[in-house]
Amino acid sequence: EAGVTQFPSHSVIEKGQTVTLRCDPISGHDNLYWYRRVMGKEIKFLLHFVKESKQDESGMPNNRFLAERTGGTYSTLKVQPAELEDSGVYFCASSRTDFQETQYFGPGTRLLVL
Amino acid sequence: AQKVTQAQTEISVVEKEDVTLDCVYETRDTTYYLFWYKQPPSGELVFLIRRNSFDEQNEISGRYSWNFQKSTSSFNFTITASQVVDSAVYFCALSEPSSNTGKLIFGQGTTLQVKP
């Protein structure tokens, strides 16, 4: 069974540009989560999808961040326009049906905004 | 408010030493789940263990063991006879069913360096 995959693995962009991150969860997993780790700090929750619906987006920093999960499969996280403080590692995780089941993480996307 | 604290930022040991990584959590809920994840140098987060609040039995898996104590709100992780491959960042995390979401609340992480 394939694990959670994320693309790209790295992205370097300039302030003001747009970047789109993609996450493919484990097949059959209803729950998809986005997290972010800014350098040296804890991993913070961004949002949670159940299938194609947003269950909780309380962690989204501001309206420059837009997440979608069309069709309940893969998800995208777009940052537009990117700011310096958006730099960090963006992790995606998925779990089966129950919210409290184990979340399996992808390798992360390292975003650097210059 | 819910919170996870990993007070040890970095730990350095010599191979074959035992090492304990501390995790203290705060929650108002009686039902909750605790997790440990490992982040090796390659960067991915690897699931190690999930424990619910009603199961206080300690768990052992090979060289890894976990000590869950509700009285002190702690969920500590011990590696016995550490190896160089254990070098990684280790994260403790909490989730609360009452939040109606599975979001994980992470500690700051503990960087473990095992020297040969």
Side-chain angles (χ1 to χ4, degrees):
Chain A
E1 181 182 71
V4 177
T5 57
Q6 293 186 245
F7 182 84
S9 59
H10 296 80
S11 181
V12 181
I13 62 172
E14 293 190 352
K15 174 182 173 180
Q17 289 185 323
T18 297
V19 63
T20 299
L21 313 181
R22 173 171 170 144
C23 169
D24 286 78
I26 293 172
S27 178
H29 280 197
D30 289 342
N31 297 292
L32 187 149
Y33 302 83
W34 283 98
Y35 295 86
R36 176 175 75 173
R37 188 183 192 206
V38 173
M39 178 70 76
K41 297 196 174 181
E42 71 269 26
I43 301 168
K44 285 198 170 179
F45 166 81
L46 297 178
L47 89 159
H48 169 200
F49 281 102
V50 178
K51 297 184 181 177
E52 67 274 9
S53 299
K54 292 176 184 174
Q55 177 71 18
D56 181 357
E57 52 183 331
S58 62
M60 294 287 264
N62 49 61
N63 59 10
R64 294 186 294 103
F65 288 73
L66 175 64
E68 295 181 328
R69 192 183 182 194
T70 306
T73 54
Y74 71 92
S75 173
T76 58
L77 179 65
K78 182 162 71 173
V79 185
Q80 179 183 30
E83 298 288 345
L84 300 180
E85 63 265 25
D86 300 333
S87 297
V89 182
Y90 290 77
F91 290 102
C92 175
S94 71
S95 66
R96 289 185 297 187
T97 308
D98 189 321
F99 290 172
Q100 305 308 319
E101 290 193 52
T102 297
Q103 295 177 31
Y104 295 94
F105 282 76
T109 293
R110 283 146 191 79
L111 175 64
L112 179 60
V113 182
L114 301 175
Chain B
Q2 59 277 68
K3 185 180 178 182
V4 175
T5 301
Q6 294 179 256
Q8 304 150 307
T9 305
E10 293 184 21
I11 301 175
S12 181
V13 299
V14 177
E15 210 171 15
K16 297 185 183 177
E17 285 186 20
D18 298 347
V19 58
T20 295
L21 282 59
D22 297 334
C23 173
V24 174
Y25 61 92
E26 296 176 29
T27 177
R28 295 196 184 109
D29 290 8
T30 55
T31 302
Y32 51 89
Y33 292 81
L34 296 165
F35 302 80
W36 275 94
Y37 286 87
K38 172 183 179 180
Q39 186 183 31
S42 51
E44 75 277 17
L45 282 166
V46 178
F47 166 74
L48 295 179
I49 190 171
R50 169 179 175 262
R51 177 53 54 93
N52 76 56
S53 54
F54 297 107
D55 182 2
E56 284 195 74
Q57 280 193 340
N58 291 333
E59 177 140 350
I60 298 174
S61 176
R63 296 184 296 107
Y64 294 173
S65 62
W66 289 270
N67 183 1
F68 177 28
Q69 292 199 340
K70 289 177 78 169
S71 61
T72 55
S73 297
S74 65
F75 187 43
N76 296 338
F77 173 32
T78 297
I79 301 174
T80 303
S82 60
Q83 299 176 1
V84 173
V85 294
D86 296 327
S87 297
V89 183
Y90 291 86
F91 292 95
C92 180
L94 164 74
S95 72
E96 300 167 320
S98 66
S99 67
N100 201 30
T101 171
K103 73 177 180 184
L104 296 175
I105 299 152
F106 283 88
Q108 301 92 322
T110 297
T111 300
L112 173 65
Q113 184 181 30
V114 181
K115 298 178 181 176

